Amino acid sequence: MNIRFKFLRYRRLALAASGALLVGSVLLFSLLGLNYGIDFRGGVMIDIGTKGAADIGALRSQIGSLGLGDVQIQRFGEPDNVLIRVEEQTASGETAEESAADLDVVTQIREVLGEEVEYRRVEVVGPKVSGELIRSGTLAILGAMALVLVYIWFRFEWQFSIGAILALVHDVVVTIGVFSLLRLEFNLSIIAAILTIVGYSLNDTVVIYDRVRENLRKYKKMPLEELLDLSVNQTLSRTLITSVTTLLALAALYIFGGEVIRGFVFAMIWGVFVGTYSSVFIAAPLLLGLGVKRDWSGLDSKGEGV
């Protein structure tokens, strides 16, 4: 693929757009927060099967009469499959071990719905566990980024390391902003998706950076902006082929995979788009702004290895 597109010509526009997205994402998270799932909020999740298509209105009426607080009822995949989410019921000041309120919710729902439904899955998450999950998920993302910083620093040079980590921060923050804006459920599977996005975006970035390093050795007098454009163009076919094939697989999973994995797959689809964008329009141009050294190439002034 002999492409000579001037990517860095649009670096200021891309960086301005990314800056706006980052600020918007932070504001959305600050004002709206995330729509945390049972994993992070604590509560009860019951997956039931009905005889024939589920009557969501009747189910809401039956369970609503119990006065359990925030209750979400929705079809889950097939017409006869329903997911019921009930907010955490533990009284103030009590821990999940000290109160049986959440378990009592399951009993009350079983009583009101009777034996006409099939109980396929029941999950109860207490507030102590959900708090630990939030901390663990946050530490997992931060730990992954820290390891990336160290890895790129050792493999390349500090300018490459800073560029890669800023691109990853961009991907993670914008993804969180999208989930905050669309009010999509944010649970443990989304944490897994974000970690996968970090790996995918890093892979794209490293491929481009590796070509930049090769070209720094090969073209000693080429202007840095032109060299970066050349490096991105030389790896563009690989980047696009990888992204398109990944998106095809993810699209099939999103359409046919069912409700259980839909949030995870949506995060992955978004991550492929934003990861590809950041590798080309953020990670590469940042090298220009960070002033990567033109004489850094593993060669001495005579062109011999050092």
Side-chain angles (χ1 to χ4, degrees):
M1 186 179 290
N2 189 22
I3 298 175
R4 289 293 181 267
F5 188 80
K6 301 293 185 181
F7 288 101
L8 266 71
R9 179 182 296 174
Y10 304 98
R11 66 183 183 277
R12 291 184 179 85
L13 178 61
L15 291 173
S18 294
L21 286 173
L22 287 171
V23 172
S25 297
V26 171
L27 288 176
L28 283 170
F29 178 75
S30 301
L31 297 175
L32 300 179
L34 290 168
N35 179 25
Y36 291 112
I38 296 297
D39 295 336
F40 294 139
R41 286 190 303 170
V44 179
M45 182 167 63
I46 305 174
D47 183 2
I48 66 171
T50 61
K51 295 180 178 179
D55 187 341
I56 300 297
L59 289 172
R60 285 200 177 102
S61 178
Q62 288 175 290
I63 298 175
S65 65
L66 299 175
L68 300 176
D70 182 19
V71 178
Q72 300 175 16
I73 303 174
Q74 66 184 80
R75 282 192 176 85
F76 192 64
E78 301 299 324
D80 63 343
N81 199 15
V82 177
L83 189 65
I84 302 169
R85 294 186 180 91
V86 183
E87 69 177 0
E88 186 267 316
Q89 301 289 306
T90 304
S92 178
E94 294 182 322
T95 65
E97 293 78 12
E98 293 169 340
S99 175
D102 286 322
L103 292 174
D104 187 52
V105 166
V106 179
T107 303
Q108 292 182 59
I109 291 177
R110 283 181 179 270
E111 290 176 353
V112 75
L113 296 183
E115 300 301 322
E116 297 299 314
V117 300
E118 175 190 358
Y119 296 89
R120 299 171 175 171
R121 180 170 52 127
V122 177
E123 295 181 10
V124 178
V125 180
K128 181 178 180 180
V129 174
S130 61
E132 291 174 352
L133 290 175
I134 292 175
R135 287 191 294 274
S136 298
T138 303
L139 289 175
I141 294 173
L142 293 177
M145 289 187 173
L147 291 174
V148 166
L149 183 69
V150 174
Y151 167 71
I152 301 294
W153 200 314
F154 275 100
R155 179 167 178 178
F156 296 98
E157 203 179 54
W158 71 266
Q159 289 95 337
F160 292 86
S161 183
I162 297 300
I165 204 67
L166 288 177
L168 292 183
V169 169
H170 169 273
D171 298 344
V172 171
V173 173
V174 171
T175 299
I176 291 174
V178 167
F179 270 79
S180 181
L181 175 65
L182 300 180
R183 309 309 299 160
L184 299 173
E185 184 176 308
F186 194 89
N187 50 37
L188 281 177
S189 68
I190 306 306
I191 295 292
I194 289 176
L195 291 173
T196 308
I197 290 168
V198 167
Y200 181 90
S201 178
L202 176 64
N203 183 56
D204 266 353
T205 301
V206 167
V207 168
I208 294 174
Y209 279 1
D210 207 41
R211 185 56 58 89
V212 171
R213 181 172 61 176
E214 291 177 7
N215 287 336
L216 282 172
R217 295 170 176 170
K218 187 175 181 180
Y219 302 107
K220 294 291 188 176
K221 297 182 180 180
M222 181 182 291
L224 186 56
E225 181 175 337
E226 185 179 337
L227 186 143
L228 292 172
D229 270 331
L230 175 65
S231 301
V232 173
N233 279 289
Q234 287 176 338
T235 57
L236 190 61
S237 60
R238 181 263 177 205
T239 299
L240 292 179
I241 290 172
T242 303
S243 297
V244 171
T245 52
T246 304
L247 285 172
L248 288 174
L250 290 172
L253 284 174
Y254 188 81
I255 296 170
F256 303 110
E259 194 69 29
V260 176
I261 62 171
R262 189 153 290 166
F264 172 85
V265 177
F266 173 83
M268 285 297 301
I269 291 173
W270 171 257
V272 170
F273 278 112
V274 75
T276 303
Y277 162 81
S278 68
S279 295
V280 174
F281 287 100
I282 303 298
L286 280 174
L287 292 180
L288 192 63
L290 291 169
V292 63
K293 291 190 296 183
R294 292 306 314 270
D295 60 348
W296 179 81
S297 60
L299 304 174
D300 62 16
S301 60
K302 297 181 180 179
E304 299 176 350
V306 295

